[in-house]
Amino acid sequence: KAGVTQTPRYLIKTRGQQVTLSCSPISGHRSVSWYQQTPGQGLQFLFEYFSETQRNKGNFPGRFSGRQFSNSRSEMNVSTLELGDSALYLCASSFGGYTDSPLHFGNGTRLTVT
Amino acid sequence: GEDVEQSLFLSVREGDSSVINCTYTDSSSTYLYWYKQEPGAGLQLLTYIFSNMDMKQDQRLTVLLNKKDKHLSLRIADTQTGDSAIYFCAERGAHGSSNTGKLIFGQGTTLQVKP
């Protein structure tokens, strides 16, 4: 069974630009969550999508947004990039239903903002 | 509020046991997780424990949960150099039910295994 796939693996952008990151969950998983990992703040929850609806949201500004498609694939968008947005962005998927299902993570997208 | 604490660094000799500790604050946590992160990689799920359990064993891994003290530990038996990585403890977010995708992570413990 294929794992969580994130593309691209690396991105370099300039301040003020916007970026879109993509995540394909494990087959059958309907929940996709996004996390930001930085040396200073550690792993922080951005948001979660389940059945194309945002189900949970972390404490990030509105520049960070996401969406989920009918096939459960998800995209995350960051607009008006700032230097502080440089981070590893991790996507995780799970079944997301009524029984617990652990989160499985992808290898991440390393975003560098210059 | 929600908070997970871990010690930052642990160094052991190859063949010894490693014990990584974690404390959490949310008494309503239903599941607690251990993830491993190697350089340049994402998070690998190692094991997890339901909050009504005291212990879970999975090959070389043993998880102990003291719910009264909100203390979780991960023991790795016969530690190998390939176990060198950062280990994260995580709990489900307080405001969600057990099926949400929000985890609260500790800062991570860097495990160094010396040959």
Side-chain angles (χ1 to χ4, degrees), chain A residues 9-10 31 33 35 37 42-45 47-48 55-58 88 90 94 96-108 110, chain B residues 30-31 33 35 37 39-45 48 50 86 88-89 91-92 95-108:
Chain A
R9 284 283 280 139
Y10 302 94
S31 168
S33 300
Y35 288 80
Q37 185 178 27
L43 281 153
Q44 293 186 289
F45 172 75
F47 32 65
E48 178 199 8
R55 183 158 76 170
N56 269 300
K57 189 175 188 308
L88 179 67
L90 292 163
S94 66
Y98 292 106
T99 58
D100 185 73
S101 161
L103 273 66
H104 295 271
F105 284 79
N107 282 326
R110 172 76 61 185
Chain B
T30 53
Y31 285 89
Y33 301 84
Y35 285 89
Q37 187 175 37
L43 301 178
Q44 176 193 350
L45 177 67
Y48 61 106
F50 187 49
I86 303 175
F88 291 93
C89 164
E91 61 170 352
R92 286 281 188 185
H95 299 296
S97 62
S98 63
N99 58 359
T100 69
K102 180 182 178 183
L103 299 182
I104 308 299
F105 284 90
Q107 314 94 300

Side-chain angles (χ1 to χ4, degrees), chain B residues 63-81:
Chain B
V63 178
L64 295 177
L65 175 60
N66 181 328
K67 198 172 181 182
K68 175 176 167 288
D69 295 336
K70 298 193 185 73
H71 182 267
L72 183 73
S73 68
L74 174 70
R75 179 177 179 270
I76 305 173
D78 186 26
T79 313
Q80 303 297 306
T81 53

Side-chain angles (χ1 to χ4, degrees), chain A residues 24-63:
Chain A
S24 293
I26 291 171
S27 178
H29 284 188
R30 295 166 61 195
S31 168
V32 174
S33 300
W34 290 89
Y35 288 80
Q36 181 195 65
Q37 185 178 27
T38 59
Q41 299 298 316
L43 281 153
Q44 293 186 289
F45 172 75
L46 280 155
F47 32 65
E48 178 199 8
Y49 285 86
F50 178 76
S51 292
E52 302 178 63
T53 301
Q54 189 179 85
R55 183 158 76 170
N56 269 300
K57 189 175 188 308
N59 295 323
F60 279 81
R63 299 185 298 107

